[in-house]
Amino acid sequence: MKTPTSDRHRRPKKTGKSKIPNKYNRILTVLAFFGLIITLFLIKLFKVQISDAKGYKEYAVGQWTKAVSLGNQRGFIYDRNNKPLAVNKNIVTFWSVPFKEDENEKEEAKLKREKTYKEIAEEVASKIAEMTGEDSRDVYDKITYESRIRVVPEMELDDYKKFKESMGKVKFRTVLEVEEKAKRYYPFNDLASQLIGFNNIDNVGINGLEVKLNDALEGRAARKVQQLEANMVNALPNQEARIIEGKKSVNVVLTIDEKLQREVEKIADEAREKQSAESVSIIVMDPRDSSILALANTGRYNLNEPRKKPDDVEEEVWDEAKDEERNQILFDKWRNNAISDSYEPGSVYKVINLAAGLEEGKLNDKMTFSCTGSIDVFGRTLSCAEHMAHGTQNISQALNNSCNVAFVQIGNILGKNDILRYAKAFGFGEKSGIDLPGESLGILPTNPNFIGPVELATMSYGHGLAVTPIQMANAICAVVNGGTLDKPKVVLKTVDDSGNVIDAPKSVVRRKVISTETSEHMKKLLESVVRDGHIKRSRIEGYRIGGKTGTAQKIVDGKYKKNAYISSFVGAFPIDNPEFVVLAIVDEPRSGIAYGSLVAAPIFQDVAKFIIDYYKIPPASEVSSVQNEKVQVPDLKDKTMGEAGLELADLSLSFDTNYKEYTDESLIISQSIKPGIFVDKGTVITLDVEVKKDDTILTPDFKGMTRDEAFGLAEKVGLKLKIEGDGLVKEQRPEADKEVKRNSIVELKLGD
C-alpha cells in the first residue's frame, strides 16, 4: 500500500510567471532606505555648511556676544527761557554674577576659586552696605544668588567712581556686572507734572509731553557690542568692543515759563486749601497765538518718583488698597484735568452766544430784554440766581448781571442752528489739538434736531453742554484776539545741543470764527462786566481788564450732584490789546460759597497781579480809578452770607468769618465794622454767623411758588417736599419760619 504524500512535499503548480525570491526583495528595500538616509544627510550637510552657514555663524556669535546700551540719548525739555525741566543723568546699576561651576575643573581648583569669589563678595557687600545703608548680609545674599539679579538698582555716577576707588585692586567685577545708562531726571520734581509727564524704566515716555513728543525726544541709543567668555559675563581678552552709533535726539523748548508756572501752581494750591475744593485748575495763554504760558492743576506728583504714594493719600488707605486701586489713585494724579475733564461752563458760556448773536447781526446795543427773576419754557421755570429780577436791560447790562432770563431770550433769537453752529466753530465738541495725550471732546449735541426748547434755553446760559478747560480758554482767546481760533501751542521750538534751532513750529490757525469788529465789540462788553458788574474782585487799579464768571452745578455719573458746583472765571488783559487770557476753575468749593465772582475771580486777580509785576506790564493811560476812594460799610445783619458776599464785592470789600460750617443761606448776626463807617476798598470785615447746634433751620415761605420753584428752594436749604395738587403753593405745613431739622419733610398743597 502506498503512503500518501504530505502537502509540503507537493510541487507548486506552474503558472507561467517568474518570481524573485523574498530575500532579494528585502535586500533591495534596505538598500533603498539607507540610500535615502544618506541622501537626506548630504542635503542637510550642504544646507548647514553652505547655504545657511552665514545664519548659523551669526547665531553662534550671538550666543557669546553681548550688546550693552550706552544710554538713550534722550533730548532735554526746557521752558521758554531755557531752564531745564527734564534732563538725563548717568546712573550705574549693579547686577550679580553667579558663581559658575566647571565640570572639567579639578575639585581643588574649584574650591580655591569659590573661596576667592566669596571673599570678594563679602568685601564688595560691605562697601555697598556702607554706601547705601543696607545690611551687608542682605547685599551679600544678593551678590551670591544662584541666578543673575539686581544688587543695586541705581547709583549716581559720582558715587560709583568713589566705590571703584575704594575697591582698589579688588577685582569686584568677578562678582558684579556694572551697567551704565542714562536716566530721566526732573530738576523741579513736581513742577508741571501733569503737563511734562514721565518715562518708564527703559526711558520711553508714557505720560504727558514725554509720550506725546517721544519720537522727537527719544532718538536711538548707541550700543557697545562685546564678545564674552563662556560664563557670559566677562569679556574675551584682547577683544575690543564695537560701538554702534545711535541717532541723536532733539531738545524741546516749551512755551511755558517756569517762574510763572511755579507761581500759578502756588496760587492754585492756596485756593484749593482755602475753598476746601476737590481741585483747582488754572490756564494762562497768550491769545495772540494760543501759546500756553502756564497750565497748573492741584494734586501734582513727583516726576522722579511717579509711582510713589501721593502725599495727600493716607498711609492706611494706600496700604490696604489692591493693585488696581493703587493704579487708579496714581492714574488720577497723572491725569491732566485741564484737558481731560469736562464740565458745564455756566455763565462764562454767555460770552460765546453773545459773540454769535453780534456776528450774525441778530443782536445790537439798542435791544432790550425784560427779566422778572424767572421765565417759563414749555412748563419749566428757569430762574436767575437768587430769583433776582433785573428789569429791563440792554445786552451789556444783561452780561453784567449774568441774567439767565435775558439769555434765554437771546438764545431764542439765535435759534438752535446758530447756537450749535457757533459752539462747534469756537472749538467745542472737538479736540483742540494741543500736544498732550488724553484730551477729551467734551459733550455737545451732534444735531440741531436734538435741541428742544428747554435744551435751547439752558444752552443759552451754559448748561446742557460740557466743555474742557482748554477748550474754554482757547475759545475766549478767539473772542478777544480778533476772532481767530488757533491750535493751542505748547512747543516753542526744537534745538540741538548747541542751541541751534532745528524747527520753530508756526501757529496753526484752525478757522476765523468772528470778525475783527465783533471781537472789538466783545472786548468792550467784557471790560464793562469787570468795571460795572458784580465781579469787582477781579479789578486791578490802573489796568483795563475784561472777564466773565461762571457757576454751574457739578455733574457726576450723568446726574447733577446736590450742593456741588464748578466755579470759574476767565479774564483777558490788557483788554484793549490782550496779551494774556487767564482761566481759573474751582471744582466743588466747600467753603459755603460757590459764586464764581467770590471763589474764582480772586484767583484771577492774584495771577494777573503777578503777571503784571513779572512781565512789567505798564498801566493803561486811560483807566478810571476805582481803588483810591473810600466806601461806606453796609448793614449786613440778618442778611444771608450769599447776599453779603455779593454786596461786599460790589463795594470792593472782603469778608472773613470764624465759622467753617456755613452756607450761602447762613444768617449774619453781627459784623466787626459798624454800618456807615467809611473804609478803604479791600478792607476785610469779619462776620459772625448764626450756627444752630442741633442742625435746625427755619422753613421758608413756599406760598405762591410753582412746583419747580418750590423744589429748587427746598433743595437749596436742605428740605424734602411732599406735594399734592397742581398750580401754585397755597398751603404749607409746617408754616413759614418754623424750626425744623434739616432733611425734614414739608407738605405743600397746590391749587389755582
Side-chain angles (χ1 to χ4, degrees):
M1 186 173 74
K2 292 182 179 179
T3 305
T5 306
S6 66
D7 290 341
R8 66 176 180 270
H9 293 144
R10 291 177 182 170
R11 295 180 179 179
K13 294 181 180 180
K14 295 182 178 180
T15 61
K17 296 181 180 179
S18 172
K19 190 172 183 181
I20 301 174
N22 289 337
K23 65 180 180 179
Y24 296 121
N25 259 339
R26 288 195 296 272
I27 292 171
L28 289 174
T29 302
V30 171
L31 289 173
F33 175 77
F34 279 106
L36 179 63
I37 295 296
I38 293 170
T39 301
L40 291 174
F41 175 77
L42 292 172
I43 292 172
K44 183 69 175 176
L45 187 64
F46 176 84
K47 193 172 187 308
V48 170
Q49 293 189 344
I50 307 297
S51 67
D52 292 344
K54 184 179 179 181
Y56 280 104
K57 183 179 180 181
E58 290 177 351
Y59 176 79
V61 171
Q63 294 296 297
W64 42 269
T65 302
K66 182 178 181 182
V68 179
S69 174
L70 297 181
N72 195 337
Q73 303 301 311
R74 193 171 182 85
F76 286 14
I77 298 176
Y78 299 95
D79 86 329
R80 66 186 306 114
N81 300 313
N82 295 318
K83 287 189 177 179
L85 305 177
V87 298
N88 302 322
K89 67 175 182 179
N90 291 327
I91 62 166
V92 171
T93 299
F94 288 166
W95 295 85
S96 66
V97 178
F99 181 81
K100 298 292 184 181
E101 295 186 0
D102 187 351
E103 294 180 358
N104 299 321
E105 190 177 23
K106 293 182 179 180
E107 185 67 19
E108 184 179 349
K110 188 198 84 169
L111 292 174
K112 183 179 179 181
R113 187 166 59 85
E114 186 176 15
K115 181 182 178 184
T116 303
Y117 174 89
K118 291 180 177 180
E119 289 174 350
I120 294 174
E122 287 181 356
E123 195 167 351
V124 170
S126 177
K127 178 53 66 176
I128 291 176
E130 182 184 327
M131 296 182 70
T132 63
E134 291 188 67
D135 184 82
S136 62
R137 178 49 56 180
D138 292 339
V139 179
Y140 177 83
D141 291 341
K142 291 179 185 178
I143 294 174
T144 58
Y145 195 68
E146 61 186 9
S147 59
R148 182 177 181 268
I149 62 171
R150 204 190 312 260
V151 178
V152 177
E154 186 177 309
M155 181 179 286
E156 299 286 342
L157 194 59
D158 290 342
D159 290 336
Y160 170 64
K161 290 178 180 178
K162 293 177 183 178
F163 167 81
K164 192 174 179 181
E165 291 174 1
S166 67
M167 286 290 94
K169 296 183 179 180
V170 176
K171 297 180 179 179
F172 63 89
R173 289 182 179 272
T174 305
V175 299
L176 287 180
E177 177 190 342
V178 180
E179 180 185 16
E180 185 177 337
K181 63 179 181 179
K183 180 189 177 183
R184 205 58 155 174
Y185 176 69
Y186 305 92
F188 297 104
N189 293 323
D190 69 341
L191 184 80
S193 56
Q194 293 105 342
L195 176 77
I196 296 172
F198 59 93
N199 298 335
N200 61 16
I201 59 174
D202 296 319
N203 219 15
V204 176
I206 61 172
N207 195 39
L209 284 168
E210 289 280 25
V211 66
K212 191 71 175 181
L213 306 177
N214 190 69
D215 289 344
L217 292 167
E218 187 175 37
R220 186 175 62 247
R223 292 180 299 159
K224 180 175 71 174
V225 180
Q226 185 75 58
Q227 295 180 3
L228 306 178
E229 291 181 346
N231 61 9
M232 297 303 297
V233 174
N234 300 325
L236 285 174
N238 302 319
Q239 291 288 335
E240 293 185 2
R242 182 165 56 93
I243 305 298
I244 301 176
E245 297 294 334
K247 177 186 175 184
K248 188 62 178 174
S249 59
V250 301
N251 304 308
V252 177
V253 180
L254 304 182
T255 57
I256 69 168
D257 186 307
E258 177 265 329
K259 285 188 178 180
L260 177 61
Q261 178 73 25
R262 184 185 298 277
E263 183 65 23
V264 169
E265 289 181 352
K266 176 185 174 185
I267 292 171
D269 291 343
E270 291 174 349
R272 181 189 185 188
E273 183 177 358
K274 181 179 180 180
Q275 300 295 335
S276 300
E278 189 72 21
S279 66
V280 174
S281 295
I282 304 173
I283 300 175
V284 183
M285 298 180 71
D286 185 340
R288 295 169 295 185
D289 62 356
S290 284
S291 58
I292 307 294
L293 302 177
L295 191 153
N297 300 295
T298 52
R300 296 176 304 282
Y301 62 97
N302 189 340
L303 290 168
N304 294 305
E305 298 178 306
R307 300 187 182 278
K308 184 181 177 182
K309 180 191 80 66
D311 293 336
D312 56 353
V313 176
E314 295 181 3
E315 198 78 42
E316 184 178 352
V317 173
W318 183 259
D319 291 340
E320 295 179 357
K322 298 178 181 178
D323 289 344
E324 58 269 23
E325 293 171 334
R326 288 188 176 184
N327 289 336
Q328 187 59 51
I329 291 172
L330 293 174
F331 179 78
D332 290 341
K333 290 292 178 183
W334 301 341
R335 191 179 69 251
N336 192 334
N337 299 345
I339 67 166
S340 299
D341 292 357
S342 56
Y343 68 105
E344 282 196 350
S347 294
V348 171
Y349 197 79
K350 292 170 181 174
V351 175
I352 304 301
N353 288 330
L354 190 54
L358 291 171
E359 182 68 17
E360 288 298 305
K362 294 182 177 183
L363 299 176
N364 60 64
D365 293 324
K366 296 180 180 180
M367 299 175 70
T368 59
F369 307 89
S370 179
C371 171
T372 61
S374 64
I375 187 171
D376 184 80
V377 180
F378 272 68
R380 181 174 174 180
T381 300
L382 304 176
S383 305
C384 282
E386 306 296 329
H387 299 274
M388 186 177 294
H390 296 113
T392 301
Q393 316 156 90
N394 58 30
I395 58 172
S396 180
Q397 292 167 331
L399 189 64
N400 292 353
N401 296 327
S402 198
C403 179
N404 290 347
V405 172
F407 273 86
V408 170
Q409 298 170 62
I410 289 173
N412 286 330
I413 293 172
L414 270 172
K416 60 184 181 181
N417 288 302
D418 281 345
I419 282 269
L420 184 58
R421 182 162 64 88
Y422 274 89
K424 292 179 177 179
F426 274 104
F428 301 107
E430 66 179 21
K431 294 183 179 181
S432 70
I434 189 172
D435 284 328
L436 289 168
E439 185 177 6
S440 172
L441 295 173
I443 303 173
L444 196 67
T446 57
N447 192 299
N449 296 328
F450 299 153
I451 303 175
V454 176
E455 288 77 17
L456 174 63
T458 57
M459 283 183 67
S460 68
Y461 55 81
H463 293 253
L465 73 162
V467 307
T468 64
I470 190 64
Q471 286 175 341
M472 180 53 70
N474 202 38
I476 298 301
C477 286
V479 171
V480 302
N481 72 4
T484 300
L485 185 74
D486 298 325
K487 175 183 174 182
K489 185 178 178 181
V490 72
V491 176
L492 184 64
K493 58 186 176 182
T494 56
V495 299
D496 61 20
D497 290 341
S498 300
N500 300 312
V501 177
I502 299 173
D503 184 33
K506 295 181 179 179
S507 299
V508 178
V509 177
R510 295 166 68 188
R511 51 187 165 267
K512 184 75 171 178
V513 185
I514 56 176
S515 66
T516 303
E517 292 75 19
T518 300
S519 178
E520 290 297 320
H521 198 163
M522 287 302 305
K523 288 193 291 183
K524 293 177 181 178
L525 293 172
L526 290 170
E527 184 177 18
S528 176
V529 173
V530 174
R531 185 184 63 238
D532 308 320
H534 297 286
I535 49 174
K536 297 175 183 177
R537 292 284 299 274
S538 61
R539 292 175 177 173
I540 299 175
E541 182 182 2
Y543 291 87
R544 297 177 61 183
I545 295 170
K548 186 70 185 77
T549 60
T551 307
Q553 199 167 358
K554 185 176 180 180
I555 297 176
V556 179
D557 297 329
K559 298 180 180 179
Y560 288 106
K561 184 179 179 181
K562 187 178 180 180
N563 297 324
Y565 298 90
I566 304 288
S567 303
S568 62
F569 179 88
V570 64
F573 67 100
I575 195 61
D576 56 328
N577 187 22
E579 298 177 34
F580 304 93
V581 166
V582 179
L583 173 66
I585 298 177
V586 182
D587 181 4
E588 205 170 330
R590 302 186 184 95
S591 61
I593 296 176
Y595 293 118
S597 58
L598 303 177
V599 173
I603 297 175
F604 164 83
Q605 191 180 60
D606 290 341
V607 174
K609 284 181 176 178
F610 177 83
I611 289 174
I612 288 169
D613 181 64
Y614 179 52
Y615 291 107
K616 303 191 184 306
I617 308 296
S621 57
E622 297 181 4
V623 181
S624 58
S625 177
V626 297
Q627 300 292 327
N628 295 331
E629 51 190 283
K630 298 275 187 179
V631 293
Q632 192 174 20
V633 176
D635 187 359
L636 303 174
K637 188 178 179 182
D638 295 330
K639 292 185 178 180
T640 66
M641 288 293 286
E643 294 169 340
L646 290 174
E647 190 169 351
L648 292 173
D650 280 341
L651 297 169
S652 296
L653 298 174
S654 301
F655 73 90
D656 196 4
T657 180
N658 295 324
Y659 301 98
K660 293 184 179 180
E661 301 295 329
Y662 70 87
T663 68
D664 286 354
E665 297 302 312
S666 299
L667 293 177
I668 297 168
I669 58 178
S670 66
Q671 58 193 81
S672 61
I673 302 176
K674 294 181 179 180
I677 301 295
F678 283 88
V679 297
D680 292 328
K681 290 188 174 185
T683 300
V684 179
I685 301 173
T686 302
L687 304 176
D688 288 328
V689 182
E690 182 181 31
V691 180
K692 297 186 180 296
K693 296 181 180 179
D694 57 355
D695 197 29
T696 59
I697 58 175
L698 296 175
T699 54
D701 188 358
F702 291 100
K703 291 180 180 178
M705 292 186 179
T706 65
R707 180 186 293 265
D708 288 341
E709 289 173 338
F711 271 117
L713 180 57
E715 182 179 358
K716 188 174 181 180
V717 300
L719 293 174
K720 297 179 181 179
L721 296 182
K722 182 180 179 182
I723 298 180
E724 295 180 4
D726 295 309
L728 303 178
V729 179
K730 63 179 182 178
E731 296 181 21
Q732 72 175 75
R733 191 173 64 179
E735 294 290 329
D737 297 326
K738 297 292 184 182
E739 286 192 356
V740 296
K741 292 213 174 199
R742 200 174 296 276
N743 294 319
S744 296
I745 297 176
V746 177
E747 297 179 2
L748 303 180
K749 287 187 177 180
L750 279 61
D752 296 331

